[in-house]
Amino acid sequence: MAANMESIESPNPDWASLPSDLLYLITRKLSDLLDFIGFRGVCKPWRASAPISNPPPQQFPWIPDFNVSDRLRFFSLFSGKVFTFPVPPQLKGKDWFRPQLGGYLLVGQYPDKDMSLFNPLTGHHVLLPSLDDSWFPDCVLEQAGDCMIVANRSLNPSRWAFFRLGDQKWNIRKILGQLNWTCLCCNGMFFSYNWYTGETKIVEIATDDLILVVPSPLGKTKELVCFVESFGDVLMVATLRVWPNYDKFFIYKLNVDFDNANHNPCWVQTENIGNCVLFISERTGFSFKAGQFRGSVSNCIYFHGGSNIYRYIIEDGGIATIPCPIGTWGFFVPSLQYPNTSSLE
């Protein structure tokens, strides 16, 4: 009995010999990807139980610092930590566009204008095909997984270009008049908001055909913030006041039947987005399931203004302030698998 007690109370337990299935369960509970990376660095058995191809579940967004110089800084809303990553020397001097899902779009200075994607967590840097010599982007309209939409809004007609990893070139489109920031790419459709008429134009990306025009639900007292794709639904998020001084949010869900020519598409106001959480920046946004994160609140909106992050409760209009120690620049979803270059091989 004494011998058994002595083995149990050994001052030097062999952590490397923990069962692989137990190690795997531990990785499922890690709240930040950097904890996952640190876990992999403990020893070979731990590394083998935590392959990059099977990272922890969806990560709660980070706040990227708007100041990009020789380092990139991020603030984790979940853990309250600030993470810092060095900027590779060869990427300095390029134009860095605001990151959102996985990484940054970089554009080289004239006359090169090379374009690439960069993941700060992994250092993965992938070159993209160049646009033609007549223009280069001044904004990123949409960044979702392996899909990217960029635009130059100063041209008339405005131009926007669609690219998906694996494509050999950018698909360039023109829009009569000038394009604004408020656009969305979803289910093969391109949604664009007209600030003068309030209408939403829906264009099929593959054919460039105008499919539908949806009238505005906002009237003269509300201002559109962004479109958000939320698990199959297209949402319109609006407010009473100009960014960043929000008083109240209004959410509308697109009611449309693309297969019924007699259906009248419209925006329907809703005060409940269920178990979802919206993260919105100026003219862009995305949606998560609240149940994916410990302690997260459903049916709410995270947004930023000035040096703070705010959480807006849709049901009662309450706002909670989350101090942020770095300059806010939207929301960034960290990933170890971005960009997914399997389609390029």
Side-chain angles (χ1 to χ4, degrees), residues 21-315:
D21 54 348
L22 176 60
L23 292 172
Y24 174 78
L25 291 176
I26 293 174
T27 66
R28 300 295 91 189
K29 301 296 183 180
L30 298 176
S31 59
D32 275 313
L33 276 182
L34 287 193
D35 294 333
F36 179 78
I37 295 173
F39 182 97
R40 285 171 45 83
V42 171
C43 60
K44 289 184 178 180
W46 285 36
R47 186 180 183 88
S49 67
I52 291 291
S53 59
N54 190 18
Q58 182 69 70
Q59 296 291 292
F60 208 69
W62 293 356
I63 310 300
D65 192 344
F66 65 79
N67 181 27
V68 176
S69 54
D70 59 346
R71 61 178 184 173
L72 303 172
R73 295 198 304 164
F74 300 89
F75 172 65
S76 169
L77 283 170
F78 191 90
S79 67
K81 300 176 183 177
V82 175
F83 304 125
T84 302
F85 303 89
V87 173
Q90 69 272 23
L91 301 184
K92 295 180 180 179
K94 297 182 181 294
D95 290 331
W96 294 67
F97 288 85
R98 180 170 60 188
Q100 186 168 320
L101 302 179
Y104 291 82
L105 172 70
L106 281 65
V107 178
Q109 299 292 327
Y110 184 87
D112 295 331
K113 298 186 298 185
D114 57 294
M115 301 178 67
S116 58
L117 298 176
F118 175 65
N119 186 335
L121 273 74
T122 63
H124 198 183
H125 181 228
V126 177
L127 290 175
L128 302 179
S130 297
L131 292 164
D132 62 59
D133 294 334
S134 63
W135 73 289
F136 60 95
D138 63 5
C139 67
V140 176
L141 297 178
E142 181 75 9
Q143 181 185 347
D146 61 353
C147 168
M148 179 78 65
I149 296 178
V150 300
N152 188 307
R153 296 160 297 137
S154 61
L155 299 175
N156 195 354
S158 296
R159 297 187 185 182
W160 63 278
F162 172 84
F163 178 82
R164 191 180 299 276
L165 283 176
D167 291 348
Q168 298 301 310
K169 63 179 181 179
W170 290 82
N171 296 293
I172 300 175
R173 301 286 189 265
K174 296 182 179 180
I175 293 181
L176 293 178
Q178 289 191 317
L179 184 67
N180 61 66
W181 286 78
T182 312
C183 304
L184 175 70
C185 174
C186 176
N187 298 325
M189 301 291 179
F190 180 68
F191 299 77
S192 176
Y193 184 79
N194 187 313
W195 283 87
Y196 297 102
T197 65
E199 296 174 329
T200 300
K201 291 185 177 180
I202 305 176
V203 175
E204 187 174 25
I205 293 177
T207 63
D208 208 21
D209 292 336
L210 178 63
I211 304 300
L212 290 171
V213 177
V214 187
S216 173
L218 301 182
K220 297 181 179 180
T221 61
K222 303 168 188 173
E223 177 176 331
L224 177 67
V225 177
C226 64
F227 292 129
V228 180
E229 189 277 326
S230 181
F231 302 94
D233 291 327
V234 175
L235 304 179
M236 172 187 286
V237 182
T239 185
L240 284 175
R241 300 182 65 180
V242 178
W243 176 274
N245 301 311
Y246 291 115
D247 280 346
K248 180 176 174 59
F249 284 103
F250 302 86
I251 300 176
Y252 301 86
K253 182 184 298 185
L254 181 62
N255 180 18
V256 62
D257 185 353
F258 291 108
D259 298 324
N260 185 355
N262 297 320
H263 175 75
N264 292 322
C266 63
W267 294 100
V268 180
Q269 186 171 353
T270 178
E271 296 184 355
N272 192 335
I273 57 173
N275 193 35
C276 293
V277 182
L278 304 184
F279 295 85
I280 64 172
S281 301
E282 190 173 9
R283 312 308 174 205
T284 62
F286 52 89
S287 176
F288 280 176
K289 291 288 189 183
Q292 293 177 296
F293 311 102
R294 299 191 304 273
S296 59
V297 180
S298 62
N299 199 35
C300 72
I301 299 173
Y302 283 86
F303 65 98
H304 67 90
S307 59
N308 292 320
I309 305 298
Y310 301 93
R311 185 177 64 203
Y312 176 89
I313 305 301
I314 297 174
E315 184 177 2

